[in-house]
C-alpha cells in the first residue's frame, strides 16, 4: 500500500504537470487562434477581391515569382514548412524561426488573391507551430517539452482554421507517425485546440456551415458501399500526394532558380483558366464543396481540382493541401453516389474527410472531423471509409516528414519466403 506522504507527493506532481501544460497550452492557443483569425480575415478579403476582378489571374505568374524570390532571399530556413515542424518534433535541433509565420501567411494570401489552387491548413499549422516554438526559449523547455509544445501548436492551428477542436487535437497527435499516437501530448494538444478554436470565435471568425440532410439507416449494402468508396478515396489521396511530390521533384531538377517555378506554374494555371472559361477549380472552392453536399455535380469536377492543385503546389505556391482535398473528396463522392446507389450528399460528406484521411494518413482525426462538421450520426460511415482509405493510400502521404511508426497491416506469414 502506498504511503500517504508518497500519495500526496504524487498528486502534487500531477497537479503541477496539469497547471504547467494548461498554462502553456493557453498561451499557444491565444497566439495560434489570433494568427488564424487574422489569416482567415485576410483570406476572405483576397477571395472577394479576386472574384470581383477576374483579370488578377493574369498576374499569378508575377505573384508566384515574387513569393518565390522572398522565400529564396529570406525564407530558406523555413522552406520546409509543415515538414520542418514534423522533423523538429522527431529530431529537435533548433528553434523554428519566427519568420515562418509572416512569410507563409503573406505567401498564401497572395496565392489566393491571384488565383492559385491551394488550401489554408498548411498556413495555420505553420503559424501555430512557429509561434509555439518561440516559447521554448522563453520558458527554457527541454527537448521533450519542446516536442509537445510544437504538437500543441499544430493542433491549435488546425483546430482554429477549420473550427474543429477535436479533429485538431487528434491531428497534432496522429500526423507525426503512421500508426502511432503520442499520448503524453494529449492534454496539451486537446487544451490548445479547444482554446484556439474559441479564441478564433472571439475574434469574430465564422466557419462554413455544412448542412447535412437525413443520414440513411445502416444496412449491409450501405456498409459495403462505404468500403468500396473508401478504397477509391484512398487511392485518390495517394495519387494526389504522389503527383504533387513528383511534379515538385521534376521542377527542382529542371529549374534550379526557385522563383521561376511558381512563375511557370502560375502561367499554366492562368492559361488553363482562360481556356476552360471558368475559375471553378482555383482558390479554396468552398461554394462547390457546399453544392456537392446538396445536389449532383459534373463527374469530372474532382479531376479538375486535382490538376489545378497539383500544378499550384507542385510548382511552389504557398498554402495547404487539405481544403483542396476536401473539394476533391466531396466532388468524387458526389459522382460515386449514383454508381453505389447511395445519396450523393452522404458520399460527398464521406469523401470530404476520407480522401484527406488517405492523403494525410490521419483516419482518426478525419473521422472526428466528419462528426464535428456533419453530426455524430455520420460517425460509423465516416470511420469505415476513413480507415479503408488509410489502408489503401500506401505509406506515402502529403507530408514527407511523416514517419512510419507501425505498418498499416500485418504482413502475410510467407512474406519473407
Amino acid at each position: 500500500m502506498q504511503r500517504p506522504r508518497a500519495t500526496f507527493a504524487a498528486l502534487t506532481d500531477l497537479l503541477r504537470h496539469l497547471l504547467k501544460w494548461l498554462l502553456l497550452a493557453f498561451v499557444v492557443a491565444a497566439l495560434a487562434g489570433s494568427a488564424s483569425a487574422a489569416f482567415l480575415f485576410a483570406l476572405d478579403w483576397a477571395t472577394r477581391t479576386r472574384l470581383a476582378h477576374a483579370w488578377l489571374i493574369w498576374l499569378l505568374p508575377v505573384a508566384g515569382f515574387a513569393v518565390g524570390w522572398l522565400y529564396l532571399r529570406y525564407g530558406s530556413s523555413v522552406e520546409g514548412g509543415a515538414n520542418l515542424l514534423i522533423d523538429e518534433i522527431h529530431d529537435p535541433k533548433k528553434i523554428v524561426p519566427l519568420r515562418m509565420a509572416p512569410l507563409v501567411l503573406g505567401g498564401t494570401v497572395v496565392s489566393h488573391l491571384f488565383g492559385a489552387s491551394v488550401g489554408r491548413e498548411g498556413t495555420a499549422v505553420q503559424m501555430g507551430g512557429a509561434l509555439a516554438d518561440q516559447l521554448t526559449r522563453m520558458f527554457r523547455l527541454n527537448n521533450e517539452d519542446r516536442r509537445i509544445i510544437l504538437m500543441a501548436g499544430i493542433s491549435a492551428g488546425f483546430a482554429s482554421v477549420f473550427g474543429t477542436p477535436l479533429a485538431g487535437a487528434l491531428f497534432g497527435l496522429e500526423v507525426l507517425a503512421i500508426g502511432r499516437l503520442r499520448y503524453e501530448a494529449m492534454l496539451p494538444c486537446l487544451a490548445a485546440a479547444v482554446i484556439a478554436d474559441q479564441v478564433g470565435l472571439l475574434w469574430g471568425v465564422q466557419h462554413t456551415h455544412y448542412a447535412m440532410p437525413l443520414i440513411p439507416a445502416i444496412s449491409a449494402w450501405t456498409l459495403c458501399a462505404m468500403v468500396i468508396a473508401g478504397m477509391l478515396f484512398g487511392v485518390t489521396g495517394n495519387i494526389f500526394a504522389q503527383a504533387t511530390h513528383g511534379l515538385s521533384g521534376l521542377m527542382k531538377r529542371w529549374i534550379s532558380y526557385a522563383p521561376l517555378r511558381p512563375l511557370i506554374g502560375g502561367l499554366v494555371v492562368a492559361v488553363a483558366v482562360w481556356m476552360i472559361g471558368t475559375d471553378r477549380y482555383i482558390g479554396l472552392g468552398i461554394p462547390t464543396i457546399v453544392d456537392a453536399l446538396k445536389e449532383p455535380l459534373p463527374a469530372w469536377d474532382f479531376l479538375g481540382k486535382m490538376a489545378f492543385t497539383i500544378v499550384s503546389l507542385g510548382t511552389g505556391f504557398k498554402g495547404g493541401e487539405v481544403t483542396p482535398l476536401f473539394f476533391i473528396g466531396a466532388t468524387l463522392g458526389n459522382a460515386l453516389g449514383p454508381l453505389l446507389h447511395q445519396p450523393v450528399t452522404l458520399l460527398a460528406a464521406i469523401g470530404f474527410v476520407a480522401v484527406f484521411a488517405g492523403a494525410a494518413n490521419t483516419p482518426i482525426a478525419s473521422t472526428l472531423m466528419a462528426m464535428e462538421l456533419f453530426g455524430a450520426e455520420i460517425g460509423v460511415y465516416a470511420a469505415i471509409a476513413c480507415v479503408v482509405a488509410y489502408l489503401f493510400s500506401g505509406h506515402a502521404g502529403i507530408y514527407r516528414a511523416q514517419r512510419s511508426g507501425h505498418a498499416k497491416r500485418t504482413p502475410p506469414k510467407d512474406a519473407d519466403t
Side-chain angles (χ1 to χ4, degrees):
M1 181 179 293
Q2 197 172 21
R3 293 180 179 179
R5 183 175 296 179
T7 301
F8 179 76
L11 289 175
T12 302
D13 185 64
L14 186 59
L15 181 61
R16 188 183 301 113
H17 173 84
L18 177 67
L19 292 176
K20 166 188 172 181
W21 283 112
L22 286 179
L23 172 63
L24 289 174
F26 179 83
V27 177
V28 169
L31 294 172
S34 299
S36 289
F39 169 56
L40 289 174
F41 292 140
L43 201 57
D44 182 61
W45 167 83
T47 300
R48 287 187 284 106
T49 303
R50 176 179 57 78
L51 292 174
H53 304 284
W55 54 267
L56 286 173
I57 189 69
W58 293 109
L59 296 180
L60 184 60
V62 179
F65 182 90
V67 172
W69 183 85
L70 282 174
Y71 264 84
L72 180 65
R73 181 69 176 82
Y74 301 105
S76 58
S77 60
V78 296
E79 181 68 29
N83 288 299
L84 173 60
L85 298 179
I86 296 174
D87 278 333
E88 284 295 326
I89 293 171
H90 286 300
D91 185 19
K93 292 180 179 177
K94 59 181 181 180
I95 304 297
V96 176
L98 182 59
R99 70 182 66 180
M100 171 183 275
L103 277 173
V104 73
L105 188 153
T108 304
V109 171
V110 167
S111 295
H112 281 281
L113 176 62
F114 294 99
S117 178
V118 295
R120 51 189 174 174
E121 136 279 337
T123 305
V125 164
Q126 290 177 55
M127 290 193 301
L131 291 170
D133 206 17
Q134 306 313 305
L135 303 181
T136 297
R137 186 179 294 111
M138 183 182 303
F139 291 97
R140 299 180 180 179
L141 303 179
N142 57 35
N143 281 342
E144 188 56 35
D145 285 350
R146 182 177 174 234
R147 289 188 178 99
I148 294 175
I149 206 166
L150 278 170
M151 294 166 69
I154 291 174
S155 292
F158 190 97
S160 56
V161 83
F162 291 124
T164 54
L166 294 181
L170 262 294
F171 180 80
L173 297 169
E174 194 176 20
V175 73
L176 304 178
I178 298 172
R180 187 177 64 194
L181 294 178
R182 295 284 299 270
Y183 286 98
E184 72 275 17
M186 186 173 292
L187 171 65
C189 286
L190 179 60
V194 172
I195 298 171
D197 177 49
Q198 292 300 308
V199 168
L201 295 176
L202 287 175
W203 281 111
V205 169
Q206 295 183 345
H207 299 289
T208 304
H209 174 67
Y210 299 102
M212 189 66 200
L214 183 66
I215 297 173
I218 293 176
S219 67
W221 172 243
T222 305
L223 297 179
C224 289
M226 292 303 116
V227 173
I228 296 170
M231 294 165 58
L232 296 173
F233 293 145
V235 171
T236 301
N238 179 264
I239 292 173
F240 175 87
Q242 297 277 24
T244 303
H245 294 323
L247 178 59
S248 177
L250 285 175
M251 294 297 291
K252 289 177 181 178
R253 285 198 296 270
W254 292 345
I255 303 171
S256 58
Y257 189 56
L260 287 179
R261 300 169 200 151
L263 184 150
I264 294 172
L267 184 61
V268 170
V269 169
V271 170
V273 169
W274 172 71
M275 289 182 65
I276 65 176
T278 180
D279 61 359
R280 186 178 182 84
Y281 305 121
I282 60 176
L284 289 174
I286 298 295
T288 303
I289 296 175
V290 173
D291 289 342
L293 296 166
K294 295 179 179 178
E295 59 194 20
L297 297 180
W300 55 82
D301 271 349
F302 80 97
L303 292 173
K305 188 62 173 178
M306 277 188 71
F308 275 85
T309 307
I310 289 168
V311 171
S312 297
L313 293 175
T315 56
F317 281 95
K318 301 304 175 184
E321 301 91 344
V322 175
T323 304
L325 286 169
F326 292 163
F327 184 118
I328 294 166
T331 51
L332 175 57
N334 187 284
L336 290 175
L339 299 178
L340 296 176
H341 303 288
Q342 297 297 314
V344 295
T345 54
L346 173 63
L347 276 186
I350 296 300
F352 182 109
V353 293
V355 172
F356 165 54
N361 291 305
T362 53
I364 303 176
S366 301
T367 300
L368 285 176
M369 172 172 273
M371 297 171 70
E372 288 182 295
L373 294 177
F374 306 118
E377 296 82 4
I378 205 171
V380 172
Y381 295 137
I384 292 172
C386 288
V387 169
V388 173
Y390 166 76
L391 289 173
F392 275 78
S393 64
H395 280 77
I398 54 177
Y399 303 111
R400 283 187 165 181
Q402 194 175 52
R403 307 292 173 87
S404 181
H406 197 280
K408 290 189 176 184
R409 66 184 182 91
T410 303
K413 291 183 179 180
D414 59 348
D416 296 329
T417 61

